[in-house]
Amino acid sequence: MVVSQMKKKLAYGTNGSVVVDTCQVCDSSDLTPIVFLGYLPPVNTMPLVGSRPAEQPAYPAQVLRCRKCELVQIGLIVDPQILFPPSYPYTSGTTKILRENFAELYQEARMLFAPSAEDLAVDIGSNDGTLLSNWLKAGHRVHGIEPTNAGLLAIERGIPTLISFFNAEAVQKVVADAGRASFVTATNVFAHIEDIHEVVESILSLLKDDGVFISESHYLLSLVETLQYDTIYHEHLRYYSLTSLKNLLDMHGLEINHAKRIPTHGGSIRVYASRKGQKPVNASVAAILSQETRELTEAKLAAFRLKVVNSKLGLLSLIKDIRAQNKKIYGIGAPSRASTLINYVGLDDGILDCVLEIKGSYKIGKYIPGTVIPVLDESKLVSDPPDYALLLSWHIAEELIPKIRAGGYKGRFIVPLPIPRVID
């Protein structure tokens, strides 16, 4: 089946969603369930603290695996207008590990491909411009494409940004304004856009013939290895392995040149690709594909589901014992993944008094989706300390705990995943 035959315009129902009954990449109907996390609200729909609870949509979060092309994907696609409103509260520049990762990405691309000052770098889903700022500082031409108001922050930083969802029309506008790109980046967005074949074709239209496409996505093997079910939510339509990425890119004449596991978001994969024959292929590609053949078997995916259930039960048991002693628990950090964990486990404001965020976060003064747990300024951790701090950004616990201790917190920590445990 050729790609053009598989392109389908999604017709969202009255509830703003469409059920996935065939694979998003190869159109096969041979989809098998891996795990079901119940019904989850959009992870960045956050009512203001003090507002009365009102009806809020919640969508089934079932993860499926295609037996044909091995793509792992969410079983329901939600209208991006619902998931990514103009008020979308996420900004990448507030996260140290992302700032460092984007700086490292530029340095690696510079070593691999030696970009010139005339080369244009375009970032899809450019947010506040943190990634492109590295290219701009090094003297390269840059352009962002961002659907939310975070793009206005990038413009204030001197980064030309088109406020738009990524599509063929957006590509035409950028090419008319700045020309075709030598580098197109898509970090933590390539798994978010529903019409993936249209996305790849639009990237090819944007990219020079000898250009390089660089993607970073949550990595399926990391998700399975460390039980990161909390990275499953409706913004993430696909959970890529290198194998499934290769199958997708092959369909469009793109060849993976280099791949690398990186620590962002608890474990991601960075992939460089170009038109076939344009760039040499690094040995890293075969090495990772071989590892996936060994590690991403149906048996191990079935074991993953059981571990998810046991982890939920273990966390509830641990928290029950703490609350039985009338001990106070605050959540620390309100990344999107916190919403999945809180809603799947069933935590509420009778269990978590609040969730604390760093000063300046757009999420302060709002409720965690699906709850009335307020997000408050992190200063409360010292001014009114809890007995326990539940690390909702547990994937960076080694970085967080020393900082929180240095800030004056003397209580204990709960690390919820992969095995719920208390750290003194």
Side-chain angles (χ1 to χ4, degrees), residues 19 28 111 201 245 323 364 387:
V19 172
S28 170
M111 288 187 292
E201 289 177 13
L245 269 172
R323 296 299 288 186
I364 292 173
D387 302 287

Side-chain angles (χ1 to χ4, degrees), residues 81-99:
Q81 301 286 346
I82 295 172
L83 299 180
F84 303 103
S87 58
Y88 187 75
Y90 174 77
T91 51
S92 56
T94 59
T95 306
K96 179 174 181 283
I97 191 172
L98 284 182
R99 295 195 302 270

Side-chain angles (χ1 to χ4, degrees), residues 238-402:
R238 296 171 293 278
Y239 302 85
Y240 291 122
S241 61
L242 191 62
T243 302
S244 61
L245 269 172
K246 181 178 183 299
N247 289 334
L248 167 62
L249 297 177
D250 279 350
M251 297 170 76
H252 296 269
L254 284 166
E255 182 175 52
I256 296 175
N257 309 114
H258 177 50
K260 176 181 179 180
R261 295 183 69 170
I262 56 176
T264 55
H265 305 290
S268 299
I269 189 163
R270 180 185 298 159
V271 175
Y272 296 83
S274 60
R275 288 177 172 85
K276 288 183 178 178
Q278 286 289 331
K279 310 287 183 185
V281 176
N282 190 283
S284 60
V285 179
I288 293 177
L289 291 174
S290 178
Q291 183 184 19
E292 290 180 357
T293 299
R294 298 190 305 269
E295 299 296 332
L296 290 176
T297 63
E298 288 195 16
K300 290 193 176 182
L301 292 175
F304 168 77
R305 177 185 180 278
L306 182 59
K307 289 177 182 178
V308 168
V309 173
N310 287 335
S311 178
K312 172 180 177 175
L313 294 172
L315 181 57
L316 284 172
S317 177
L318 188 155
I319 290 176
K320 178 186 176 186
D321 291 342
I322 292 171
R323 296 299 288 186
Q325 303 171 47
N326 291 319
K327 301 294 186 181
K328 188 163 54 177
I329 306 173
Y330 294 172
I332 302 294
S336 298
R337 65 198 301 154
S339 178
T340 293
L341 187 146
I342 285 171
N343 281 276
Y344 173 63
V345 175
L347 306 183
D348 58 31
D349 63 317
I351 297 171
L352 283 184
D353 292 72
C354 59
V355 171
L356 304 183
E357 263 281 275
I358 60 172
K359 185 178 179 63
S361 169
Y362 289 87
K363 298 183 180 184
I364 292 173
K366 298 176 181 177
Y367 289 127
I368 293 292
T371 77
V372 289
I373 301 171
V375 180
L376 306 176
D377 189 284
E378 64 181 353
S379 60
K380 185 176 175 66
L381 189 63
V382 176
S383 65
D384 182 21
D387 302 287
Y388 291 82
L390 173 63
L391 293 178
L392 296 167
S393 296
W394 62 272
H395 57 296
I396 53 172
E398 291 183 2
E399 174 188 333
L400 279 181
I401 290 175

Side-chain angles (χ1 to χ4, degrees), residues 35-44 59-63 74 218 223 227-236 239 304 308 312 315 333-347 363 368-371 390 392 394 416-417:
V35 68
F36 179 63
L37 299 180
Y39 287 75
L40 303 178
V43 295
N44 282 291
Y59 300 96
Q62 185 177 46
V63 177
I74 200 81
H218 280 96
L223 188 156
L227 209 65
Q228 293 187 61
Y229 70 78
D230 56 340
T231 65
I232 296 168
Y233 44 90
H234 294 91
E235 291 179 10
H236 297 163
Y239 302 85
F304 168 77
V308 168
K312 172 180 177 175
L315 181 57
S336 298
R337 65 198 301 154
S339 178
T340 293
L341 187 146
I342 285 171
N343 281 276
Y344 173 63
V345 175
L347 306 183
K363 298 183 180 184
I368 293 292
T371 77
L390 173 63
L392 296 167
W394 62 272
L417 291 169

Side-chain angles (χ1 to χ4, degrees), residues 391 397 401 405 411-415 421-424:
L391 293 178
I401 290 175
R405 287 284 186 227
R412 308 174 81 186
F413 295 94
I414 301 171
V415 180
R421 63 197 187 279
V422 170
I423 296 177
D424 290 317

Side-chain angles (χ1 to χ4, degrees), residues 23-24 26-32 64-73:
C23 177
Q24 296 174 45
C26 73
D27 214 34
S28 170
S29 59
D30 192 1
L31 305 176
T32 59
L64 310 169
R65 177 178 179 268
C66 175
R67 289 180 180 270
K68 181 179 178 182
C69 74
E70 300 188 39
L71 178 70
V72 172
Q73 56 207 288

